[in-house]
Amino acid sequence: MALKAGVRVFRLNGLRPAVRLLSTHTRPEVQNAQNSKVAEFPGARAPYISELKFVSETSYDPIPIYRVLDHNGEVIDSKEEPAIEKDTLVNMYKTMVQLSQMDKILYESQRQGRISFYMTNYGEEGIHVGSAAALSPSDLVFAQYREVGVLLYRGMTVTEIVNQCYGNCEDPGKGRQMPVHYGSKQHNFVTLSSPLATQMPQAVGAAYALKRVPNNDRCVICYFGDGAASEGDAHAAFNFAATLDCPIILMCRNNGYAISTPTREQYRGDGVASRGPALGILTARVDGTDPLAVYNAIRAARDHALRHNRPALIEAMSYRVGHHSTSDDSTAYRSLEEIQKWNNDENPIQKFKMYLERKGYWDAGSDEALQKEARDLVVKTMQQAEKKQLPPWKEMFEDVYHDMPPRIQKQVKELEDHLAVYGEHYALDTFKPE
Amino acid sequence: MTALASRNVNFLTKIVKCVNNYSKRLSSHFIYFPDNEAPVEGETNKMNMMQAINNAMDITLQNDPTAVLFGEDVAFGGVFRCALGLQEKYGKDRVFNTPLCEQGIAGFGIGLATAGATAIAEIQFADYIFPAFDQIVNEAAKARYRSGGQFDCGGLTIRAPCSAVGHGGLYHSQSPEAFFAHVPGLKIVVPRGPIAAKGLLLSCVRERDPCLFLEPKILYRSANEMVPVDDYTLPIGKAQVLREGDAATLIAWGTQVHVLLEVADMAKEKLGVNVEVIDLMSILPWDEETVCNSVKKTGRCLISHEAPLTSGFGAELAATIQEECFLHLEAPISRVTGWDAPFPHVFEPLYLPTKWRCMQHLHQLINY
Ligand SMILES: Cc1ncc(C[n+]2csc(CCOP(=O)(O)OP(=O)(O)O)c2C)c(N)n1
């Protein structure tokens, strides 16, 4: 790891120091330059020393966590406050509220057996809107599954999202995937896949392709969890991004848990961020419960990615306030107090609301109306989604290939013939006629 | 959190009350036929398949001091709770979480076994075993062969929940047995219920070759049987004839066995014939003798599995059966399987080889 004393600073808009990148205040003592010679092995250029030295995770200061707002939504250092227009700020807040209302209602709807599965985003709303607001809508997103706020911010409607969860005939994914596996070409959001970390090297490849487009002004952002970061694919992605000079933002959502596994059992180094400098990636760590910190970091990372065609790694620290999914009861492995503490003390929505109120952009009256509006929208949408039929059953066989091969055509025919005789045993009326 | 999530319950129930037809697709596609015969004498306990697997691992950890159990989220019992209570009982150095990395889990398990330990590795879902494919296919399966018999990793058993569950979609439903059945050096087992699971898992753990133990996850809670509490094993490579008959031989493994048992009842009632139902139990090696003897007797054979048709394990069975039983066959061998498409979410009831599809094929097979 390259050890640099002092702090490197990204400059936003060419002017303002915005994000503190990896800062290491200590460095292992390097032997007196006079009697040390720099070795030039093909694999490393480094000084020789004559006393064996090991380095460990404690040889470095922990990578600091950048924030703009304190837990009361107060700006800590006014020069760090990003110049975001009022409308944008309010839109960021509204998206967070819409997201959390949607989470509450869809979570409950799974409990009632109306949809088969759901995952909430509680505690991570700030990561979604902070990053989405800092990106260009044309930047390509590769996500894990707990990032639907990015889609909301980009303008995917609650209707489209709810239709996906119902897998009905208006689900853009045609009812093939489990709930929360969104994707939208229109919104430059590549369709999710459940296997973890598979999207990471793919995102890097996509960034490489963008880089080669003449006058490219798009980067790729790849979201992934602290758990997914342990997969082999994650390491491949980091290393490919660095060695192949790809304009990508690797965005780790470190929410403390991978299902029941706490980060202590996931890694023993300094989080996921410490891997960035180890692999030659510009890296920063931010408070993921602070949308403005996330915003500044992503702005700076995007600037770096596009200016130099180089990757940046951002580790956004947060806490997964909800259960992992509707299949999980997290009280089996963590205490209610712990959950409540994070939800109360570092709640991104509350924090951001207080910030807006302080600026005079928001008040309690507007908030009440917004909460109700957001909730009503989801409920209304759900009622509509529920009435819609499932896609025509032949959709099961489409898109396996670009053109359906004869062998699959034969199977479609076989099922057709079967249903002609045995159709009464299937809930065929739930599927839309062709 | 519960409070947080349930804040809206009342208001929600007010708004949406009607029972909708979506619940139809969440109900399970088979009736469970429990085993009524214990394979060994002695005390039995009512266990579901999750408890039977837990019990087999408990016995292993109890009797084999080298045994360790690990995987993603295993410490708190695993997402399907099969390891429940075992960390409390045997300690954190024997039952533990790994980082989230399947290739790591498989490789770590191979290493443990190479050094003489008994390793039970859990892959959270069979759909997520593919990052470990290299370790399993190129390493575990070939360790003994490539070392001239000096090293092996027979102490390794990899467990993975597999197959349809009603709402798993592409990546929580797959039955990947055929991928691994192509690999000399592995043993592959799929239980149909608690009694089989316990006996087969104990065999796998003690087997001198690396084993892949695929657990149809829908059976974890839905399958209950009176399971012997003592230690017992069921032989790997041995099929079980669950119904005797002369009209046709029906072959399946895992959940699909229960579909075929129902088909056998329907065939008796509707077609007035007795069919033989065989649970293959072990995919690699598979019991050619039992299968071929049956087909020679009945002259007709239907194979059914959830995995797609093309290159499914049914293909291997059919090829061998026609070779061995050619002169006895009265009709082409019939395969009723998942379609050649990824496993779809809302179309699952039409994707699966349902009892109705099996019935239709059986009808054609008998009237050929
Ligand atoms: C390859 C693979 N292995 C296992 C799983 C099962 N699984 C789904 S989510 C999850 C935990 C992921 O944790 P993390 O990456 O930290 O994201 P978070 O859920 O905390 O947002 C696991 C183990 C999977 N989807 N894919």
Side-chain angles (χ1 to χ4, degrees), chain A residues 108 116 175-176 231 260-261 265-266 383 388 407 411 414 418 426, chain B residues 5 12 15 22 73 97 100 102 310 340 345-346 354 360-361:
Chain A
E108 266 322 308
S116 62
R176 293 177 189 144
E231 289 282 4
S260 73
T261 306
E265 294 171 20
Q266 205 63 251
Q383 289 170 325
K388 289 178 186 132
R407 191 165 169 87
Q411 295 179 19
E414 185 186 329
H418 175 67
Y426 300 85
Chain B
L12 243 185
I15 294 176
Y22 289 90
D73 302 293
N97 285 340
L100 206 172
E102 292 74 17
T310 300
D340 284 344
H345 183 237
V346 304
T354 60
Q360 189 173 27
H361 276 259

PDB file of all heavy atoms in Angstrom, chain A residues 108 116 175-176 231 260-261 265-266 383 388 407 411 414 418 426, chain B residues 5 12 15 22 73 97 100 102 310 340 345-346 354 360-361:
ATOM      1  N   GLU A 108     -45.264  -5.154   4.482  1.00  0.00           N
ATOM      2  CA  GLU A 108     -46.505  -5.679   5.060  1.00  0.00           C
ATOM      3  C   GLU A 108     -47.283  -6.528   4.066  1.00  0.00           C
ATOM      4  O   GLU A 108     -47.882  -7.537   4.426  1.00  0.00           O
ATOM      5  CB  GLU A 108     -47.404  -4.521   5.532  1.00  0.00           C
ATOM      6  CG  GLU A 108     -47.234  -4.156   6.983  1.00  0.00           C
ATOM      7  CD  GLU A 108     -47.019  -5.350   7.893  1.00  0.00           C
ATOM      8  OE1 GLU A 108     -47.826  -6.302   7.844  1.00  0.00           O
ATOM      9  OE2 GLU A 108     -46.032  -5.347   8.650  1.00  0.00           O
ATOM     10  N   SER A 116     -44.538 -12.311  -2.829  1.00  0.00           N
ATOM     11  CA  SER A 116     -43.854 -13.466  -2.254  1.00  0.00           C
ATOM     12  C   SER A 116     -42.628 -13.100  -1.431  1.00  0.00           C
ATOM     13  O   SER A 116     -42.134 -13.922  -0.660  1.00  0.00           O
ATOM     14  CB  SER A 116     -43.457 -14.434  -3.370  1.00  0.00           C
ATOM     15  OG  SER A 116     -42.554 -13.810  -4.258  1.00  0.00           O
ATOM     16  N   GLY A 175     -42.454 -10.859 -15.005  1.00  0.00           N
ATOM     17  CA  GLY A 175     -42.830 -11.832 -13.981  1.00  0.00           C
ATOM     18  C   GLY A 175     -41.840 -12.957 -13.772  1.00  0.00           C
ATOM     19  O   GLY A 175     -42.125 -13.924 -13.077  1.00  0.00           O
ATOM     20  N   ARG A 176     -40.681 -12.817 -14.349  1.00  0.00           N
ATOM     21  CA  ARG A 176     -39.754 -13.959 -14.280  1.00  0.00           C
ATOM     22  C   ARG A 176     -38.941 -13.980 -12.992  1.00  0.00           C
ATOM     23  O   ARG A 176     -38.543 -15.037 -12.525  1.00  0.00           O
ATOM     24  CB  ARG A 176     -38.811 -13.920 -15.478  1.00  0.00           C
ATOM     25  CG  ARG A 176     -39.561 -14.182 -16.775  1.00  0.00           C
ATOM     26  CD  ARG A 176     -38.636 -14.074 -17.968  1.00  0.00           C
ATOM     27  NE  ARG A 176     -39.419 -14.116 -19.192  1.00  0.00           N
ATOM     28  CZ  ARG A 176     -39.133 -13.432 -20.278  1.00  0.00           C
ATOM     29  NH1 ARG A 176     -38.068 -12.655 -20.300  1.00  0.00           N
ATOM     30  NH2 ARG A 176     -39.894 -13.533 -21.337  1.00  0.00           N
ATOM     31  N   GLU A 231     -16.798 -11.871  -1.918  1.00  0.00           N
ATOM     32  CA  GLU A 231     -16.803 -12.809  -3.036  1.00  0.00           C
ATOM     33  C   GLU A 231     -15.557 -12.628  -3.913  1.00  0.00           C
ATOM     34  O   GLU A 231     -15.028 -11.515  -4.034  1.00  0.00           O
ATOM     35  CB  GLU A 231     -18.045 -12.584  -3.915  1.00  0.00           C
ATOM     36  CG  GLU A 231     -19.356 -13.015  -3.291  1.00  0.00           C
ATOM     37  CD  GLU A 231     -19.581 -14.529  -3.343  1.00  0.00           C
ATOM     38  OE1 GLU A 231     -18.676 -15.272  -3.795  1.00  0.00           O
ATOM     39  OE2 GLU A 231     -20.675 -14.954  -2.918  1.00  0.00           O
ATOM     40  N   SER A 260     -27.118 -12.549   8.756  1.00  0.00           N
ATOM     41  CA  SER A 260     -26.820 -12.539  10.196  1.00  0.00           C
ATOM     42  C   SER A 260     -25.343 -12.290  10.483  1.00  0.00           C
ATOM     43  O   SER A 260     -24.945 -12.152  11.642  1.00  0.00           O
ATOM     44  CB  SER A 260     -27.199 -13.898  10.801  1.00  0.00           C
ATOM     45  OG  SER A 260     -26.250 -14.887  10.403  1.00  0.00           O
ATOM     46  N   THR A 261     -24.540 -12.280   9.439  1.00  0.00           N
ATOM     47  CA  THR A 261     -23.094 -12.239   9.649  1.00  0.00           C
ATOM     48  C   THR A 261     -22.615 -10.799   9.841  1.00  0.00           C
ATOM     49  O   THR A 261     -22.729  -9.973   8.936  1.00  0.00           O
ATOM     50  CB  THR A 261     -22.352 -12.888   8.462  1.00  0.00           C
ATOM     51  OG1 THR A 261     -22.883 -14.204   8.266  1.00  0.00           O
ATOM     52  CG2 THR A 261     -20.865 -12.970   8.716  1.00  0.00           C
ATOM     53  N   GLU A 265     -17.055 -10.787  11.226  1.00  0.00           N
ATOM     54  CA  GLU A 265     -16.821 -12.132  10.688  1.00  0.00           C
ATOM     55  C   GLU A 265     -16.696 -12.118   9.166  1.00  0.00           C
ATOM     56  O   GLU A 265     -16.547 -13.156   8.539  1.00  0.00           O
ATOM     57  CB  GLU A 265     -17.943 -13.078  11.134  1.00  0.00           C
ATOM     58  CG  GLU A 265     -17.890 -13.281  12.637  1.00  0.00           C
ATOM     59  CD  GLU A 265     -19.078 -14.026  13.201  1.00  0.00           C
ATOM     60  OE1 GLU A 265     -19.767 -14.727  12.447  1.00  0.00           O
ATOM     61  OE2 GLU A 265     -19.314 -13.892  14.415  1.00  0.00           O
ATOM     62  N   GLN A 266     -16.765 -10.922   8.609  1.00  0.00           N
ATOM     63  CA  GLN A 266     -16.650 -10.776   7.158  1.00  0.00           C
ATOM     64  C   GLN A 266     -15.231 -10.374   6.763  1.00  0.00           C
ATOM     65  O   GLN A 266     -14.735 -10.765   5.724  1.00  0.00           O
ATOM     66  CB  GLN A 266     -17.643  -9.716   6.695  1.00  0.00           C
ATOM     67  CG  GLN A 266     -18.080  -9.833   5.255  1.00  0.00           C
ATOM     68  CD  GLN A 266     -18.813 -11.117   4.962  1.00  0.00           C
ATOM     69  OE1 GLN A 266     -18.283 -11.985   4.285  1.00  0.00           O
ATOM     70  NE2 GLN A 266     -20.013 -11.253   5.473  1.00  0.00           N
ATOM     71  N   GLN A 383     -53.265  -1.654  -5.127  1.00  0.00           N
ATOM     72  CA  GLN A 383     -54.603  -2.144  -5.463  1.00  0.00           C
ATOM     73  C   GLN A 383     -54.744  -2.344  -6.968  1.00  0.00           C
ATOM     74  O   GLN A 383     -55.335  -3.313  -7.419  1.00  0.00           O
ATOM     75  CB  GLN A 383     -55.662  -1.164  -4.953  1.00  0.00           C
ATOM     76  CG  GLN A 383     -55.768  -1.188  -3.440  1.00  0.00           C
ATOM     77  CD  GLN A 383     -56.637  -0.063  -2.904  1.00  0.00           C
ATOM     78  OE1 GLN A 383     -56.643   1.041  -3.447  1.00  0.00           O
ATOM     79  NE2 GLN A 383     -57.360  -0.340  -1.837  1.00  0.00           N
ATOM     80  N   LYS A 388     -54.216  -6.636 -11.854  1.00  0.00           N
ATOM     81  CA  LYS A 388     -53.661  -6.978 -13.169  1.00  0.00           C
ATOM     82  C   LYS A 388     -53.326  -8.455 -13.234  1.00  0.00           C
ATOM     83  O   LYS A 388     -52.858  -9.055 -12.270  1.00  0.00           O
ATOM     84  CB  LYS A 388     -52.406  -6.156 -13.432  1.00  0.00           C
ATOM     85  CG  LYS A 388     -52.749  -4.708 -13.685  1.00  0.00           C
ATOM     86  CD  LYS A 388     -51.538  -3.843 -13.907  1.00  0.00           C
ATOM     87  CE  LYS A 388     -52.013  -2.409 -14.003  1.00  0.00           C
ATOM     88  NZ  LYS A 388     -51.252  -1.495 -13.176  1.00  0.00           N
ATOM     89  N   ARG A 407     -36.277 -26.514 -30.499  1.00  0.00           N
ATOM     90  CA  ARG A 407     -36.487 -27.384 -29.337  1.00  0.00           C
ATOM     91  C   ARG A 407     -37.390 -26.711 -28.298  1.00  0.00           C
ATOM     92  O   ARG A 407     -38.198 -27.361 -27.643  1.00  0.00           O
ATOM     93  CB  ARG A 407     -35.146 -27.753 -28.712  1.00  0.00           C
ATOM     94  CG  ARG A 407     -35.256 -28.862 -27.671  1.00  0.00           C
ATOM     95  CD  ARG A 407     -33.881 -29.422 -27.355  1.00  0.00           C
ATOM     96  NE  ARG A 407     -33.895 -30.308 -26.198  1.00  0.00           N
ATOM     97  CZ  ARG A 407     -34.149 -31.613 -26.261  1.00  0.00           C
ATOM     98  NH1 ARG A 407     -34.444 -32.173 -27.406  1.00  0.00           N
ATOM     99  NH2 ARG A 407     -34.113 -32.351 -25.166  1.00  0.00           N
ATOM    100  N   GLN A 411     -41.402 -27.437 -27.013  1.00  0.00           N
ATOM    101  CA  GLN A 411     -41.858 -27.503 -25.627  1.00  0.00           C
ATOM    102  C   GLN A 411     -43.064 -26.589 -25.389  1.00  0.00           C
ATOM    103  O   GLN A 411     -43.956 -26.915 -24.614  1.00  0.00           O
ATOM    104  CB  GLN A 411     -40.698 -27.160 -24.677  1.00  0.00           C
ATOM    105  CG  GLN A 411     -39.588 -28.216 -24.751  1.00  0.00           C
ATOM    106  CD  GLN A 411     -38.395 -27.930 -23.845  1.00  0.00           C
ATOM    107  OE1 GLN A 411     -38.481 -27.162 -22.896  1.00  0.00           O
ATOM    108  NE2 GLN A 411     -37.271 -28.573 -24.141  1.00  0.00           N
ATOM    109  N   GLU A 414     -45.867 -28.519 -26.593  1.00  0.00           N
ATOM    110  CA  GLU A 414     -46.205 -29.604 -25.666  1.00  0.00           C
ATOM    111  C   GLU A 414     -47.058 -29.068 -24.512  1.00  0.00           C
ATOM    112  O   GLU A 414     -48.042 -29.681 -24.104  1.00  0.00           O
ATOM    113  CB  GLU A 414     -44.926 -30.263 -25.126  1.00  0.00           C
ATOM    114  CG  GLU A 414     -45.223 -31.480 -24.257  1.00  0.00           C
ATOM    115  CD  GLU A 414     -43.983 -32.081 -23.592  1.00  0.00           C
ATOM    116  OE1 GLU A 414     -42.885 -32.003 -24.182  1.00  0.00           O
ATOM    117  OE2 GLU A 414     -44.125 -32.619 -22.479  1.00  0.00           O
ATOM    118  N   HIS A 418     -50.877 -29.899 -23.558  1.00  0.00           N
ATOM    119  CA  HIS A 418     -51.177 -30.362 -22.205  1.00  0.00           C
ATOM    120  C   HIS A 418     -52.314 -29.540 -21.607  1.00  0.00           C
ATOM    121  O   HIS A 418     -53.276 -30.089 -21.059  1.00  0.00           O
ATOM    122  CB  HIS A 418     -49.938 -30.258 -21.330  1.00  0.00           C
ATOM    123  CG  HIS A 418     -50.171 -30.603 -19.890  1.00  0.00           C
ATOM    124  ND1 HIS A 418     -50.501 -31.883 -19.475  1.00  0.00           N
ATOM    125  CD2 HIS A 418     -50.161 -29.834 -18.768  1.00  0.00           C
ATOM    126  CE1 HIS A 418     -50.668 -31.879 -18.149  1.00  0.00           C
ATOM    127  NE2 HIS A 418     -50.466 -30.661 -17.699  1.00  0.00           N
ATOM    128  N   TYR A 426     -54.850 -25.826 -13.643  1.00  0.00           N
ATOM    129  CA  TYR A 426     -53.919 -24.709 -13.478  1.00  0.00           C
ATOM    130  C   TYR A 426     -54.731 -23.427 -13.368  1.00  0.00           C
ATOM    131  O   TYR A 426     -55.805 -23.327 -13.950  1.00  0.00           O
ATOM    132  CB  TYR A 426     -52.972 -24.635 -14.677  1.00  0.00           C
ATOM    133  CG  TYR A 426     -52.133 -25.887 -14.861  1.00  0.00           C
ATOM    134  CD1 TYR A 426     -52.632 -26.988 -15.562  1.00  0.00           C
ATOM    135  CD2 TYR A 426     -50.861 -25.976 -14.312  1.00  0.00           C
ATOM    136  CE1 TYR A 426     -51.874 -28.139 -15.724  1.00  0.00           C
ATOM    137  CE2 TYR A 426     -50.094 -27.124 -14.472  1.00  0.00           C
ATOM    138  CZ  TYR A 426     -50.606 -28.206 -15.182  1.00  0.00           C
ATOM    139  OH  TYR A 426     -49.852 -29.336 -15.332  1.00  0.00           O
TER     140      TYR A 426
ATOM    141  N   ALA B   5     -41.983  -1.962  11.566  1.00  0.00           N
ATOM    142  CA  ALA B   5     -42.572  -2.531  10.364  1.00  0.00           C
ATOM    143  C   ALA B   5     -44.078  -2.678  10.476  1.00  0.00           C
ATOM    144  O   ALA B   5     -44.783  -2.654   9.488  1.00  0.00           O
ATOM    145  CB  ALA B   5     -41.935  -3.876  10.072  1.00  0.00           C
ATOM    146  N   LEU B  12     -53.464  -1.072   6.618  1.00  0.00           N
ATOM    147  CA  LEU B  12     -53.361  -1.854   5.377  1.00  0.00           C
ATOM    148  C   LEU B  12     -54.473  -2.883   5.266  1.00  0.00           C
ATOM    149  O   LEU B  12     -55.098  -3.039   4.220  1.00  0.00           O
ATOM    150  CB  LEU B  12     -52.029  -2.593   5.372  1.00  0.00           C
ATOM    151  CG  LEU B  12     -51.051  -2.215   4.273  1.00  0.00           C
ATOM    152  CD1 LEU B  12     -49.854  -3.116   4.335  1.00  0.00           C
ATOM    153  CD2 LEU B  12     -51.681  -2.248   2.901  1.00  0.00           C
ATOM    154  N   ILE B  15     -57.645  -1.612   4.040  1.00  0.00           N
ATOM    155  CA  ILE B  15     -57.771  -1.258   2.628  1.00  0.00           C
ATOM    156  C   ILE B  15     -57.876  -2.475   1.711  1.00  0.00           C
ATOM    157  O   ILE B  15     -58.647  -2.490   0.765  1.00  0.00           O
ATOM    158  CB  ILE B  15     -56.588  -0.372   2.204  1.00  0.00           C
ATOM    159  CG1 ILE B  15     -56.724   0.934   2.966  1.00  0.00           C
ATOM    160  CG2 ILE B  15     -56.593  -0.119   0.703  1.00  0.00           C
ATOM    161  CD1 ILE B  15     -55.627   1.889   2.754  1.00  0.00           C
ATOM    162  N   TYR B  22     -53.702 -14.739  -6.224  1.00  0.00           N
ATOM    163  CA  TYR B  22     -52.252 -14.912  -6.223  1.00  0.00           C
ATOM    164  C   TYR B  22     -51.815 -15.957  -5.207  1.00  0.00           C
ATOM    165  O   TYR B  22     -50.776 -16.570  -5.332  1.00  0.00           O
ATOM    166  CB  TYR B  22     -51.543 -13.594  -5.936  1.00  0.00           C
ATOM    167  CG  TYR B  22     -51.650 -12.644  -7.082  1.00  0.00           C
ATOM    168  CD1 TYR B  22     -52.703 -11.758  -7.172  1.00  0.00           C
ATOM    169  CD2 TYR B  22     -50.710 -12.675  -8.111  1.00  0.00           C
ATOM    170  CE1 TYR B  22     -52.813 -10.895  -8.243  1.00  0.00           C
ATOM    171  CE2 TYR B  22     -50.824 -11.827  -9.188  1.00  0.00           C
ATOM    172  CZ  TYR B  22     -51.870 -10.937  -9.262  1.00  0.00           C
ATOM    173  OH  TYR B  22     -51.978 -10.106 -10.315  1.00  0.00           O
ATOM    174  N   ASP B  73     -23.703 -17.691   7.406  1.00  0.00           N
ATOM    175  CA  ASP B  73     -24.773 -17.587   8.404  1.00  0.00           C
ATOM    176  C   ASP B  73     -25.041 -18.879   9.162  1.00  0.00           C
ATOM    177  O   ASP B  73     -26.126 -19.072   9.717  1.00  0.00           O
ATOM    178  CB  ASP B  73     -26.076 -17.077   7.756  1.00  0.00           C
ATOM    179  CG  ASP B  73     -25.882 -15.718   7.088  1.00  0.00           C
ATOM    180  OD1 ASP B  73     -25.647 -14.740   7.818  1.00  0.00           O
ATOM    181  OD2 ASP B  73     -25.934 -15.637   5.846  1.00  0.00           O
ATOM    182  N   ASN B  97     -19.453 -19.198  11.107  1.00  0.00           N
ATOM    183  CA  ASN B  97     -19.680 -18.439   9.877  1.00  0.00           C
ATOM    184  C   ASN B  97     -18.382 -18.350   9.090  1.00  0.00           C
ATOM    185  O   ASN B  97     -17.308 -18.195   9.678  1.00  0.00           O
ATOM    186  CB  ASN B  97     -20.067 -16.995  10.205  1.00  0.00           C
ATOM    187  CG  ASN B  97     -21.487 -16.884  10.709  1.00  0.00           C
ATOM    188  OD1 ASN B  97     -22.305 -17.773  10.495  1.00  0.00           O
ATOM    189  ND2 ASN B  97     -21.787 -15.772  11.369  1.00  0.00           N
ATOM    190  N   LEU B 100     -18.524 -14.342   3.130  1.00  0.00           N
ATOM    191  CA  LEU B 100     -19.506 -14.659   2.086  1.00  0.00           C
ATOM    192  C   LEU B 100     -18.780 -14.994   0.776  1.00  0.00           C
ATOM    193  O   LEU B 100     -18.508 -14.095  -0.026  1.00  0.00           O
ATOM    194  CB  LEU B 100     -20.412 -13.436   1.910  1.00  0.00           C
ATOM    195  CG  LEU B 100     -21.826 -13.630   1.392  1.00  0.00           C
ATOM    196  CD1 LEU B 100     -22.589 -12.321   1.486  1.00  0.00           C
ATOM    197  CD2 LEU B 100     -21.885 -14.212   0.026  1.00  0.00           C
ATOM    198  N   GLU B 102     -18.408 -18.535  -1.764  1.00  0.00           N
ATOM    199  CA  GLU B 102     -18.620 -19.973  -1.966  1.00  0.00           C
ATOM    200  C   GLU B 102     -17.361 -20.683  -2.413  1.00  0.00           C
ATOM    201  O   GLU B 102     -17.111 -21.821  -2.022  1.00  0.00           O
ATOM    202  CB  GLU B 102     -19.747 -20.209  -2.977  1.00  0.00           C
ATOM    203  CG  GLU B 102     -21.129 -19.794  -2.480  1.00  0.00           C
ATOM    204  CD  GLU B 102     -21.353 -18.294  -2.438  1.00  0.00           C
ATOM    205  OE1 GLU B 102     -20.577 -17.565  -3.082  1.00  0.00           O
ATOM    206  OE2 GLU B 102     -22.299 -17.846  -1.751  1.00  0.00           O
ATOM    207  N   THR B 310     -32.999 -30.643 -21.334  1.00  0.00           N
ATOM    208  CA  THR B 310     -31.780 -30.879 -22.103  1.00  0.00           C
ATOM    209  C   THR B 310     -30.572 -31.100 -21.188  1.00  0.00           C
ATOM    210  O   THR B 310     -30.253 -30.237 -20.364  1.00  0.00           O
ATOM    211  CB  THR B 310     -31.527 -29.710 -23.072  1.00  0.00           C
ATOM    212  OG1 THR B 310     -32.656 -29.626 -23.954  1.00  0.00           O
ATOM    213  CG2 THR B 310     -30.269 -29.913 -23.885  1.00  0.00           C
ATOM    214  N   ASP B 340     -36.802 -26.079 -20.963  1.00  0.00           N
ATOM    215  CA  ASP B 340     -35.477 -25.533 -21.279  1.00  0.00           C
ATOM    216  C   ASP B 340     -35.489 -24.009 -21.206  1.00  0.00           C
ATOM    217  O   ASP B 340     -35.235 -23.308 -22.189  1.00  0.00           O
ATOM    218  CB  ASP B 340     -35.031 -25.998 -22.672  1.00  0.00           C
ATOM    219  CG  ASP B 340     -34.573 -27.458 -22.660  1.00  0.00           C
ATOM    220  OD1 ASP B 340     -34.311 -27.989 -21.562  1.00  0.00           O
ATOM    221  OD2 ASP B 340     -34.475 -28.056 -23.743  1.00  0.00           O
ATOM    222  N   HIS B 345     -40.354 -17.092 -11.995  1.00  0.00           N
ATOM    223  CA  HIS B 345     -41.054 -16.821 -10.736  1.00  0.00           C
ATOM    224  C   HIS B 345     -42.555 -17.094 -10.830  1.00  0.00           C
ATOM    225  O   HIS B 345     -43.036 -18.096 -10.299  1.00  0.00           O
ATOM    226  CB  HIS B 345     -40.785 -15.370 -10.311  1.00  0.00           C
ATOM    227  CG  HIS B 345     -41.398 -15.003  -9.002  1.00  0.00           C
ATOM    228  ND1 HIS B 345     -42.280 -13.964  -8.858  1.00  0.00           N
ATOM    229  CD2 HIS B 345     -41.269 -15.541  -7.776  1.00  0.00           C
ATOM    230  CE1 HIS B 345     -42.658 -13.880  -7.590  1.00  0.00           C
ATOM    231  NE2 HIS B 345     -42.058 -14.822  -6.919  1.00  0.00           N
ATOM    232  N   VAL B 346     -43.289 -16.229 -11.532  1.00  0.00           N
ATOM    233  CA  VAL B 346     -44.751 -16.402 -11.469  1.00  0.00           C
ATOM    234  C   VAL B 346     -45.250 -17.576 -12.309  1.00  0.00           C
ATOM    235  O   VAL B 346     -46.380 -18.023 -12.145  1.00  0.00           O
ATOM    236  CB  VAL B 346     -45.520 -15.110 -11.871  1.00  0.00           C
ATOM    237  CG1 VAL B 346     -45.102 -13.938 -11.009  1.00  0.00           C
ATOM    238  CG2 VAL B 346     -45.377 -14.790 -13.344  1.00  0.00           C
ATOM    239  N   THR B 354     -45.516 -31.208 -13.336  1.00  0.00           N
ATOM    240  CA  THR B 354     -46.619 -31.443 -12.401  1.00  0.00           C
ATOM    241  C   THR B 354     -47.154 -32.869 -12.501  1.00  0.00           C
ATOM    242  O   THR B 354     -46.897 -33.575 -13.473  1.00  0.00           O
ATOM    243  CB  THR B 354     -47.782 -30.498 -12.717  1.00  0.00           C
ATOM    244  OG1 THR B 354     -48.207 -30.764 -14.059  1.00  0.00           O
ATOM    245  CG2 THR B 354     -47.369 -29.047 -12.601  1.00  0.00           C
ATOM    246  N   GLN B 360     -50.292 -37.332 -17.928  1.00  0.00           N
ATOM    247  CA  GLN B 360     -50.488 -37.339 -19.376  1.00  0.00           C
ATOM    248  C   GLN B 360     -49.423 -38.211 -20.058  1.00  0.00           C
ATOM    249  O   GLN B 360     -49.733 -39.032 -20.915  1.00  0.00           O
ATOM    250  CB  GLN B 360     -50.434 -35.905 -19.917  1.00  0.00           C
ATOM    251  CG  GLN B 360     -50.838 -35.811 -21.373  1.00  0.00           C
ATOM    252  CD  GLN B 360     -50.957 -34.364 -21.850  1.00  0.00           C
ATOM    253  OE1 GLN B 360     -50.309 -33.463 -21.320  1.00  0.00           O
ATOM    254  NE2 GLN B 360     -51.801 -34.140 -22.845  1.00  0.00           N
ATOM    255  N   HIS B 361     -48.193 -38.025 -19.633  1.00  0.00           N
ATOM    256  CA  HIS B 361     -47.113 -38.830 -20.220  1.00  0.00           C
ATOM    257  C   HIS B 361     -47.281 -40.310 -19.901  1.00  0.00           C
ATOM    258  O   HIS B 361     -47.021 -41.176 -20.741  1.00  0.00           O
ATOM    259  CB  HIS B 361     -45.761 -38.330 -19.733  1.00  0.00           C
ATOM    260  CG  HIS B 361     -45.244 -37.171 -20.519  1.00  0.00           C
ATOM    261  ND1 HIS B 361     -44.282 -37.291 -21.491  1.00  0.00           N
ATOM    262  CD2 HIS B 361     -45.586 -35.865 -20.503  1.00  0.00           C
ATOM    263  CE1 HIS B 361     -44.044 -36.103 -22.031  1.00  0.00           C
ATOM    264  NE2 HIS B 361     -44.825 -35.221 -21.440  1.00  0.00           N
TER     265      HIS B 361
END
